Amino acid sequence: ARYETVSPSKENWIPCGTGLGGVVYNISFTQTQASISTIMNSSSKERNKAIFDALSAQSDEINRAFGAELRWLRMDDNKMSCAIVSQPFDGFNREVWNEMADWMASTMVRLQAAFDGPIAKLKASGKFKVGPT
């Protein structure tokens, strides 16, 4: 239901909100792989790292709820951070496009289910409000 209001784009990624400002669920694909991720990318590097740290402290529980190991990338030299899972696909082979789409859809459902609770708790804490402090 989250992607119902997302408009088509020429980009190779499709973000949608999580309910916490600056944090999105993202579907992306390239010529060689598809990826599903939770991205912390507000205008504040410090806020992004704090949200990442709060979520990654729960990585065992989130990975268990997701059903696989996510790659938790703090990326200290970058503004953004993310938790991501990728699957190789031959994007030039139209015969695998349905398989790729099925993988992206089912994996996104699992990712959202794993992150929705922890993100809602962060939002409810009031600690990560967007805007001037």
Side-chain angles (χ1 to χ4, degrees), residues 15-30:
C16 76
T18 63
L20 181 61
V23 181
V24 297
Y25 294 125
N26 194 62
I27 297 172
S28 63
F29 51 91
T30 65

Side-chain angles (χ1 to χ4, degrees), residues 11-117:
E11 304 300 340
N12 69 324
W13 66 86
I14 306 169
C16 76
T18 63
L20 181 61
V23 181
V24 297
Y25 294 125
N26 194 62
I27 297 172
S28 63
F29 51 91
T30 65
Q31 298 168 354
T32 60
Q33 72 179 8
S35 298
I36 304 298
S37 55
T38 301
I39 298 175
M40 296 103 237
N41 196 23
S42 72
S43 60
S44 167
K45 179 179 178 178
E46 294 74 23
R47 180 178 183 273
N48 296 334
K49 301 311 175 196
I51 292 171
F52 177 86
D53 291 345
L55 291 171
S56 67
Q58 303 172 65
S59 64
D60 289 344
E61 295 86 2
I62 292 171
N63 287 339
R64 194 169 23 262
F66 178 66
E69 291 292 315
L70 295 161
R71 285 186 299 144
W72 292 83
L73 304 173
R74 192 171 195 275
M75 300 186 291
D76 290 331
D77 294 334
N78 294 315
K79 182 176 75 167
M80 69 174 267
S81 294
C82 70
I84 187 169
V85 62
S86 300
Q87 179 72 31
F89 286 100
D90 177 2
F92 290 116
N93 181 354
R94 289 179 180 259
E95 292 178 13
V96 301
W97 286 3
N98 285 339
E99 177 188 349
M100 183 172 71
D102 289 345
W103 180 86
M104 289 188 296
S106 64
T107 304
M108 179 54 76
V109 167
R110 292 178 25 233
L111 186 85
Q112 289 175 351
F115 274 94
D116 278 353

